[in-house]
């Protein structure tokens, strides 16, 4: 028996606090109850041979051939990935030397950092390290260590939390959908989301992302089915988790909406309170592995389109999938980084790969975007979209077949020929749109525990109502200026100072109530563990602690 650090924050254990504290649902962190009852439900699958306690290099680095690709110089250089997390510490030791920019909440929301927890910091740090961890002695090695990573902060507490009150953040609290518009303005090629809520990109925002040849991955969740399945839009890559043996784990997301599977068990995970390494499970970490893998292909094949590359990912899964056979367990297959990077993507169609079994199974929203139906507010004020003017033709890189003639037919399409021409991506600014709307006007991505399924569906409904309202009373008057001037702040030149409420890494150890650990009779370790977390945010919801030890 090898003893692991007992203070590890298991990825499976955080969701109870996340629902209470943040109103967001952490995709890689399924709800658990302490003790033997969850041992089978959240079992991590077979232990990788030769696993050494505290080893920061994940088993998948060698098993999936990432080490071979890195040795060839395929390491994500030149590609920008964006993630959105509730908290993050730029000083994490795994990120020393990495190209990471952290964009905290707007100044009006900085008081929310008072409620940041070790759990959410740990989640953000480890999602980031899974992509761009630098490796070396004692450091987690990411799958794309030379990629540029943008880390955007999301809300830290629920609107229903009494500590929220009616603070100055009401008008500017960003959702993940808004954050990924910011990321695109900053030049991001790939978006990856491991924190799920009602604020995810909807069908309109996702379609616009696809029209601009961007990629989007989101975790499927740890509840045996795809979280928010009814609202997953066309173009979103839904990632589930597999173990060392390639089998989808019992708790991992399954269903017709699943796109791909990636390693999501026995993943190195650093405890922010002690700095020590343990291992965890979850689609929160499978998702950035998939996103980082796409970055490797983008580096190797710079002339390929994003859609050709995502098509190559699904054609070149483990064992190959030339006919794109889909199942509800692994989707289009388990990622195969070596086969994917080796294949010439020009042989594949330039069309989004992740379109299987969506609630809306066509691109019906694209004509609405081209005609400028959605409001600027619902689209988060991107510079390439204007209500009544549609999408900037210069920004359109892909359209569904038969829709080419709709370009330039919006009532005020000539807007793009005058003052409205999109400036294109800029790495120097990351605007947070200021709409003047309150939290009651727009879904803020904040959901209550026990009601998580409802708001996800309602997001599309709210935007649909905006569209309907526009159809009933469209103005045919010409636009008289550019998009609304966004509220925001520039990307810092390097790693920014930590906002108020963050502590320097590593964090002081917090006292944990003592509780008898469940017996370990030789079975594989159970990631959730048994000891309760310190109750930083009182309320119902599962509390959990360190995992059991791996076998020798």
């Amino acid at each position: 028996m090898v003893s692991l650090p007992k203070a590890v924050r298991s990825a499976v254990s955080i969701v109870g606090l996340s629902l209470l504290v943040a109103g967001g649902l952490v995709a890689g962190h399924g709800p658990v109850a302490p003790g033997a009852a969850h041992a089978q439900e959240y079992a991590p699958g077979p232990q990788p041979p030769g696993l050494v306690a505290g080893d920061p290099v994940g088993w998948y680095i060698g098993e999936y051939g990432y080490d071979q690709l890195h040795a060839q110089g395929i390491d994500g250089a030149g590609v920008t990935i964006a993630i959105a997390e509730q908290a993050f510490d730029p000083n994490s030791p795994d990120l020393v030397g990495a190209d990471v920019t952290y964009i905290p909440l707007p100044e009006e929301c900085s008081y929310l950092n008072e409620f940041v927890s070790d759990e959410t910091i740990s989640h953000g740090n480890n999602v980031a390290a899974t992509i761009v961890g630098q490796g070396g002695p004692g450091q987690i090695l990411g799958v794309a260590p030379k990629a540029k990573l943008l880390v955007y902060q999301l809300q830290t507490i629920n609107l229903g939390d009494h500590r929220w009150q009616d603070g100055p953040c009401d008008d500017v609290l960003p959702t993940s959908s808004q954050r990924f518009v910011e990321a695109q303005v900053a030049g991001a090629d790939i978006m990856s989301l491991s924190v799920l809520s009602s604020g995810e990109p909807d069908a309109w925002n996702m379609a616009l992302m696809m029209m601009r040849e961007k990629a989007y991955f989101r975790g499927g969740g740890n509840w045996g089915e795809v979280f928010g399945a009814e609202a997953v839009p066309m173009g979103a890559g839904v990632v589930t988790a597999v173990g060392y043996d390639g089998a989808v784990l019992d708790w991992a997301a399954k269903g017709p909406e699943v796109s791909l599977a990636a390693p999501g068990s026995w993943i190195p995970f650093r405890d922010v309170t002690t700095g020590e390494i343990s291992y965890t499970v979850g689609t929160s970490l499978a998702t950035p592995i998939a996103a980082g893998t796409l970055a490797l292909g983008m580096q190797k094949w710079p002339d390929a389109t994003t859609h050709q590359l995502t098509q190559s990912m699904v054609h070149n899964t483990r064992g190959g999938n030339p006919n794109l056979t889909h199942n509800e367990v692994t989707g289009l297959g388990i990622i195969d980084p070596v086969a994917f990077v080796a294949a010439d993507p020009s042989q594949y169609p330039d069309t989004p790969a992740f379109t299987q079994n969506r609630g809306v199974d066509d691109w019906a929203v694209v004509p609405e975007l081209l005609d400028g139906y959605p409001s600027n507010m619902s689209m988060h004020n991107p510079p390439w979209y204007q209500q009544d003017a549609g999408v900037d033709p210069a920004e359109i890189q892909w359209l569904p077949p038969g829709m080419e003639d709709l370009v330039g037919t919006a009532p005020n399409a000539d807007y793009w020929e005058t003052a409205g021409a999109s400036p294109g991506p800029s790495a120097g600014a990351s605007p947070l749109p200021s709409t003047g709307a309150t939290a009651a006007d727009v879904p803020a991505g904040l959901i209550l525990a026990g009601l998580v399924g409802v708001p996800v569906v309602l997001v599309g409904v709210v935007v649909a109502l905006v569209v309907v309202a526009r159809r009933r009373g469209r103005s045919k008057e010409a636009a008289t200026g550019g998009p609304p001037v966004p509220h925001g702040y520039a990307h810092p030149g390097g790693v920014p100072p930590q906002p108020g409420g963050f502590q320097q890494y590593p964090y002081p150890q917090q006292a944990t109530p003592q509780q008898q650990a469940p017996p370990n009779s030789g079975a594989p370790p159970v990631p959730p563990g048994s000891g309760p977390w310190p109750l930083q945010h009182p309320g119902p919801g599962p509390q959990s602690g360190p995992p059991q030890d791996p076998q020798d």
Side-chain angles (χ1 to χ4, degrees), residues 381-407:
N381 296 316
W384 45 82
Y385 177 83
Q386 176 71 10
Q387 185 174 337
D388 285 340
V391 183
D392 181 359
E395 292 285 336
I396 299 174
Q397 300 181 46
W398 171 84
L399 282 172
M403 295 190 186
E404 295 81 3
D405 292 343
L406 298 178
V407 177

Side-chain angles (χ1 to χ4, degrees), residues 23 196-200 227 443-447 455-456 459:
L196 306 182
S197 77
S198 60
E200 295 178 53
F227 172 79
L446 298 166
I447 55 181
V456 175
V459 175

Side-chain angles (χ1 to χ4, degrees), residues 409-434:
T409 61
N412 296 325
D414 58 351
Y415 169 84
W416 300 112
E417 299 176 4
T418 56
S422 170
S426 170
S430 178
L432 176 64
S434 178

Side-chain angles (χ1 to χ4, degrees), residues 272-294:
V272 299
T273 64
T274 67
E276 296 180 315
I277 294 288
S278 190
Y279 305 94
T280 192
V281 303
T283 61
S284 270
L285 300 175
T287 303
I289 288 175
T293 301
L294 178 59

Side-chain angles (χ1 to χ4, degrees), residues 71-109:
Q72 299 167 24
I74 307 300
D75 49 20
V79 181
T80 301
I81 303 171
I83 63 174
E85 289 287 330
Q86 294 165 302
F88 175 71
D89 179 8
N91 298 308
S92 173
D94 300 304
L95 303 175
V96 174
D99 186 357
V100 179
T101 300
Y102 179 43
I103 304 89
L105 289 171
E107 183 63 31
E108 297 91 328
C109 303

